Amino acid sequence: RGGVAMSLLVEGVALTPSGRPVLAPEELELRMIERVDVEFGDKRAGNMRGGLQGREADKYVAGVALVTSHRLIWLDQARAPGTEGLSCSVHLSRVIEAAPVPLKMFGSRTRRLRLALRRGIVGPNDAGGALVLAFRGENPDAFTAAVADALAKKTWLAEPPPPSSTTTDAGRPTRPFATRVPPGQPPLPPTAPPPPPTTTT
């Protein structure tokens, strides 16, 4: 006891000025569905913490869910204008299993999709576990089918690696990044042999 609490952590989402998620050049939006809650953890295991780091106690409700060729994205519809709010995402390479939650005869009639996620992806305190999408609006069959199709195709594995690198991380080619130069410092010149020392007589 007394250690850092472990939670299922998810990643943030960058949004355009119009509130759409910023997609990678090779990423395609497949399906969208409104009125979706995100539930974290497993009630039977007593672990119900999850969300963005530092925002695990917040309620992720009544958002818009999107599935792309690479990610599952949830957009916070209650966010303040010009902010991301609780909008979050999960890369599909993290999903171990996805399956609908069976409806109980006398229980809630809300349809749910349960995703089992790998741990340690967002940080050392990322416990992984169950992420559940609760569909409060329309029939989610087309959306869950799109999730299953994206997981089966694994489009992120088929991307050609950049020419400057052959390193991969969990099956995803790394992206080349430009060298960052601190503000006010001129860019580094190409490497060249040092000039000969000047001698004075």
Side-chain angles (χ1 to χ4, degrees), residues 82-94:
T83 71
E84 286 78 25
L86 296 173
S87 298
C88 55
S89 70
V90 170
H91 198 284
L92 294 179
S93 63
R94 188 182 178 186

Side-chain angles (χ1 to χ4, degrees), residues 25-147:
E26 67 282 356
E27 186 176 12
L28 300 175
E29 186 176 318
L30 304 177
R31 200 85 189 183
M32 179 186 75
I33 187 168
E34 298 179 340
R35 294 182 61 196
V36 178
D37 299 350
V38 183
E39 301 168 351
F40 299 96
D42 193 328
K43 289 181 181 178
R44 290 170 298 178
N47 169 25
M48 295 298 293
R49 282 180 60 83
L52 295 166
Q53 193 152 14
R55 307 290 300 271
E56 297 94 334
D58 289 18
K59 300 294 185 184
Y60 294 72
V61 297
V64 172
L66 298 101
V67 60
T68 75
S69 53
H70 292 55
R71 290 181 294 170
L72 187 64
I73 299 171
W74 184 84
L75 299 178
D76 180 8
Q77 295 299 93
R79 67 186 183 274
T83 71
E84 286 78 25
L86 296 173
S87 298
C88 55
S89 70
V90 170
H91 198 284
L92 294 179
S93 63
R94 188 182 178 186
V95 178
I96 302 169
E97 181 185 26
V101 177
L103 289 174
K104 296 179 181 177
M105 186 172 293
F106 299 107
S108 168
R109 308 310 294 169
T110 299
R111 303 274 296 275
R112 285 174 167 84
L113 178 68
R114 183 183 186 275
L115 306 172
L117 304 182
R118 291 183 177 87
R119 64 183 296 166
I121 303 298
V122 180
N125 298 323
D126 176 13
L131 181 150
V132 178
L133 298 179
F135 303 102
R136 308 288 184 185
E138 64 186 274
N139 185 308
D141 287 349
F143 183 85
T144 56
V147 172

